[in-house]
DNA sequence: GGAGTATGAATGAATG
DNA sequence: CATTCATTCATACTCC
């Protein structure tokens, strides 16, 4: 990630062949740094969803640096793409406010605040159903539970405002 | 990827937590006791895998107590759930004979955790209970995408005759 | 102050 | 493509 050490020297690269059963638990692919570098370069170049052919070729090339299979390349791109998207989505809605240093409330008071407006909403998760047929004619590819509207922005919760009723219920009411 | 960025670029400038990791340097998120408390309460309530927007909301709330990002919440739940499962599995396998190996563990933390887990714990969220398939039943769903036919050959490197040495050059021209 | 542990972070491997 | 699980790495913390 960003602020982490750059000195992670894993013992990767150990794809030794044979060597008597390889006591090492070669459960999953452990890419070498060269392999990672090449893959990252490819990604940076713009490659996001390589075709089967491309995967084959990449795998062949990378096999020079160590054991690798096509599915590893496939998964690598899948994961890399998904995680970059995820990270972007999070950071987008994350940092804006750093109001976290004015006056520290006690834990009980905070919990009380979380209970504000104990709506009988009872959000049990997995029910993100809400009509979105208002704009845009529903394209066939509009299915998917894309509840995560990318333009999800500020959520005003009145952090430091009126609050009483210091119960320790904490029913996730703010969710 | 950008995992090669020096050391701490991040400073968790004082938000003097109630206790816990105050005074820590920078590097990785060090939750305050209040944050941990709230997260644990949420977990106890039954929340195990919060959705993206739930994560964001939780993060927003917890940011009052100190620096926090969405990914921290994400990882927290991920780890907490995984380790509880891991622990449970370990205990399950670890009980071949009913020896009171309680003396060996001798840790109040362990006891506390046992006490914690044995709680009824109603999961109010997409519980995938129903261990119908928990008994092997090797219904092979390992379809392995389209890469079951991996042409990877261990002895034929240098397919394109273009690399002969890990020079990291690799112009990506083979695509 | 080093061993052992708790835990944050990362990622490979899936599944739907 | 979104989400999840398992495993591992890295580090903060605790206790001799």
């Amino acid at each position: 990630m960003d602020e982490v050490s750059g000195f992670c020297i894993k013992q990767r690269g150990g794809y030794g062949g044979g060597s008597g059963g390889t006591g090492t638990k070669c459960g999953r692919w452990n890419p070498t740094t060269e392999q990672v570098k090449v893959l990252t370069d490819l990604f940076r170049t713009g490659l996001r969803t390589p075709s089967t052919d491309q995967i084959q070729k990449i795998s062949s090339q990378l096999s020079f640096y160590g054991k690798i299979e096509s599915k590893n390349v496939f998964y690598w791109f899948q994961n890399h793409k998904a995680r970059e998207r995820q990270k972007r989505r999070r950071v987008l809605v994350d940092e804006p406010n750093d109001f976290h240093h004015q006056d520290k409330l006690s834990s009980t008071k905070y919990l009380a605040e979380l209970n504000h407006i104990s709506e009988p909403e009872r959000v049990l998760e997995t029910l993100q159903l809400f009509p979105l047929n208002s704009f845009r004619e529903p394209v066939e590819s509009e299915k998917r539970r894309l509840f995560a509207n990318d333009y999800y922005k500020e959520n005003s919760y009145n952090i430091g405002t009126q609050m009483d009723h210091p119960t320790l219920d904490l029913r996730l009411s703010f969710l």
Side-chain angles (χ1 to χ4, degrees), chain A:
Chain A
M1 291 301 291
D2 316 311
E3 69 283 3
V4 218
S5 72
F7 293 165
C8 351
I9 307 176
K10 304 179 184 179
Q11 69 282 16
R12 53 167 47 131
Y15 51 88
S19 71
T22 69
T24 60
K25 30 190 302 184
C26 302
R28 70 184 201 184
W29 173 57
N30 204 19
T32 64
T33 51
E34 290 88 357
Q35 285 171 339
V36 172
K37 186 188 185 311
V38 174
L39 289 169
T40 303
D41 282 343
L42 287 170
F43 191 86
R44 287 245 153 90
T45 303
L47 186 62
R48 321 245 312 174
T49 311
S51 64
T52 306
D53 251 22
Q54 289 173 315
I55 289 176
Q56 288 284 343
K57 286 171 179 146
I58 296 169
S59 177
S60 296
Q61 295 295 321
L62 291 183
S63 69
F64 177 78
Y65 296 121
K67 191 177 192 305
I68 192 174
E69 300 175 37
S70 295
K71 70 170 188 177
N72 301 133
V73 178
F74 171 76
Y75 282 138
W76 191 91
F77 276 96
Q78 286 274 110
N79 284 321
H80 204 72
K81 181 167 52 176
R83 275 161 186 150
E84 182 159 274
R85 189 191 314 271
Q86 188 182 65
K87 176 165 61 177
R88 192 167 301 276
R89 192 184 339 174
R90 292 222 173 103
V91 173
L92 208 75
V93 192
D94 230 358
E95 315 291 333
N97 299 328
D98 61 317
F99 51 172
H100 56 274
H101 196 263
Q102 39 188 7
D103 178 58
K104 181 162 292 302
L105 295 171
S106 65
S107 177
T108 52
K109 187 169 184 183
Y110 174 69
L111 292 176
E113 285 187 3
L114 290 185
N115 278 332
H116 74 145
I117 314 172
S118 296
E119 276 301 305
E121 191 171 357
R122 192 72 62 184
V123 180
L124 287 184
E125 128 121 13
T126 65
L127 37 94
Q128 305 291 347
L129 314 176
F130 53 84
L132 50 89
N133 51 2
S134 44
F135 10 59
R136 297 181 50 193
E137 36 79 32
V139 191
E140 50 81 18
S141 62
E142 197 67 15
K143 52 177 172 33
R144 280 289 177 241
R145 48 198 180 116
L146 286 178
F147 53 84
N149 301 336
D150 290 337
Y151 36 82
Y152 205 83
K153 63 304 154 206
E154 169 63 22
N155 41 5
S156 56
Y157 289 108
N158 299 344
I159 297 286
T161 56
Q162 78 299 344
M163 211 52 250
D164 40 14
H165 188 269
T167 65
L168 294 179
D169 190 32
L170 196 125
R171 268 292 157 231
L172 315 181
S173 56
F174 63 90
L175 298 183

